[in-house]
Each structure stands twice: as C-alpha cells, then as structure tokens.
Amino acid sequence: MRTAALISLILLAMPASAAAAKPPVLVELYTAQGCRSCTDANEHLNRLAERPGVLVLTFSVDYWDYLGWTDTFARPEYAERQKAYVTRLKLREPYTPQVVVDGQEEAQGLKAPEVDRLIRAAAAAPRNAPDMRFVGRRRVDVGSGRAPRGGAEVWLVRYDPRAVEVAVRAGDNRGETVVQRNVVRQIARLGVWRGRPQAYRVPAAADDGLRTAVIVQVPRGGRVLGVAQQPNGAPAK
C-alpha cells in the first residue's frame, strides 16, 4: 500500500505535458530474411520507423528457416507472439510479411496504403493509456487507469534503431542484402498491471546500442493499452 501510494504521488508530480503526451502507435512487422516477398514491406516499415508518433518494431520469425537460410535475428518467442495475434484476430495461419497495429488490426505488409490507413486510424482513435515513466535506468512506473478484467501484461522490448544489413547466402533471397530497422533483440514479460500504480524492474541490456520500450497490453495478443520509450539519452543497461 505504501509503495503504491508513493508511486501515485510521483506520477501526480509529473509535468502536465508528460502526463498528457499521447503514446505512439505500435506497429509490429513480422518478417524473415528468407522471405522473398518481405523486401518491399521491410523498406516501407524502415521509412515508417522515422515517422513521429509511430513505434515500429521488426520481429523476425523462424518458420521459414527450412527454406535454407537461418534468420540471424529470429527467436521462437517472436513467432509465439505472432501466433497469439493469429488466434485473437481469427486468422487461418501466421504469414509474412504481416503488420499488426496497436494489437487490434492487421494487414499484409505488402499493402502499404492499407498499413498507412490503419496507422492513421489508430493515431486518430481515442486513447486512454495509463501514465508511464522511466525512472533512472532500471525502473519503469505505470500509473492508474482502466485495466481489462484479469489485468494486462507489461512487456519490455529491446530493439536496434540502426539500419542493419544482412547478406543472405542461401534460400529464396540468396545473394540479396536485407536491410532492417528497429529489429527486436529481446522481449520479456515484466509482470501484470491491474489498473493501480505499480513499479517494474527493468533488466540490464546486453548491448549499449539497443533502445528500450515498455508495452502494456491485453494478454494473449490483445489490444495495446500504452507504450513508453526510454529517452534516447538514457542508456539501456
């Protein structure tokens, strides 16, 4: 009780501009270095990554590795995250390139106009996100708000903001160089949020070049309630 009250006071003391700031639209790209049709989607999302008010996260999946090239950034947990969206959005199966916007809408990554339309709609929609604030290097506070029944999940994401070039030497993209931005390198569940102010410990990062974002989301591939990015000048470790 005492801890929750203290966090509430901290959040109330935040500048009005910080408290009123609208969280970015979360745009998740599910792609693979061995996916022949993903190149154009990668390029479009790379450009979107520079747009204010949008957080693009590139998740590499591993289910195309059997074609001959092992994706250098893929992890099983990224494909599991995509499968949760498949179930929630009542899709037949996971595919690439796929774009998921704020956990609520999805589109084929090759359909750039549709992706842009979903982002505009999400940006214009009312947002009732909880206040979120990084405190130092190792803590993030999530304030009070309306939580779904059973609570929401708080996720840590670490991603590389640099343009990363990968020379593909086998499979469908053999001989091609794949360029990706905001490649996710780590995702971890920090805990549950039930609508009351709570502090979460942020684990250390393995790479100083990575940036950190925290996502509050309805469990099992549900809608995104809030997103906070660690300030650029703050080290992730």
Side-chain angles (χ1 to χ4, degrees):
M1 289 293 291
R2 184 176 299 174
T3 301
L6 178 60
I7 296 171
S8 296
L9 289 173
I10 293 172
L11 291 170
L12 287 172
M14 291 172 59
S17 59
K22 199 170 186 179
V25 175
L26 181 64
V27 180
E28 301 176 50
L29 170 65
Y30 290 88
T31 184
Q33 294 163 3
C35 163
R36 186 72 176 177
S37 61
C38 288
T39 303
D40 289 344
N42 289 340
E43 292 177 355
H44 184 57
L45 271 293
N46 289 348
R47 292 191 294 270
L48 285 176
E50 300 178 358
R51 182 181 298 180
V54 175
L55 174 59
V56 171
L57 295 177
T58 299
F59 288 90
S60 290
V61 296
D62 57 4
Y63 48 79
W64 296 126
D65 288 0
Y66 78 93
L67 295 176
W69 176 256
T70 300
D71 194 293
T72 58
F73 298 129
R75 292 188 179 183
E77 54 263 40
Y78 304 161
E80 289 301 314
R81 182 174 175 85
Q82 186 186 24
K83 289 176 185 176
Y85 285 132
V86 169
T87 301
R88 173 77 68 166
L89 298 172
K90 298 181 180 179
L91 304 176
R92 190 165 60 183
E93 59 187 2
Y95 69 93
T96 57
Q98 183 189 30
V99 173
V100 179
V101 178
D102 269 352
Q104 299 188 83
E105 301 286 348
E106 69 90 29
Q108 295 182 22
L110 292 173
K111 296 183 177 180
E114 176 66 7
V115 171
D116 292 346
R117 185 190 69 80
L118 292 179
I119 294 173
R120 288 195 301 270
R127 314 286 294 271
N128 190 23
D131 294 330
M132 301 170 66
R133 181 186 182 190
F134 284 91
V135 180
R137 298 183 299 176
R138 302 296 297 275
R139 196 182 93 194
V140 63
D141 291 348
V142 180
S144 60
R146 180 176 295 178
R149 181 177 298 179
E153 295 178 326
V154 180
W155 289 91
L156 169 85
V157 177
R158 289 239 165 79
Y159 63 96
D160 191 339
R162 297 162 291 195
V164 181
E165 297 184 358
V166 178
V168 180
R169 297 188 296 274
D172 283 0
N173 282 333
R174 181 177 180 178
E176 300 290 333
T177 297
V178 176
V179 182
Q180 297 173 293
R181 286 276 304 274
N182 290 14
V183 176
V184 174
R185 305 305 303 272
Q186 178 188 3
I187 184 168
R189 185 177 180 273
L190 298 183
V192 176
W193 177 73
R194 303 187 185 279
R196 297 182 298 275
Q198 186 167 340
Y200 301 86
R201 186 175 184 275
V202 176
D207 185 336
D208 289 343
L210 302 183
R211 289 185 182 168
T212 301
V214 170
I215 302 167
V216 180
Q217 185 172 16
V218 174
R220 296 178 293 280
R223 64 188 176 94
V224 172
L225 304 177
V227 179
Q229 295 169 266
Q230 194 170 51
N232 292 348
K237 65 180 181 178

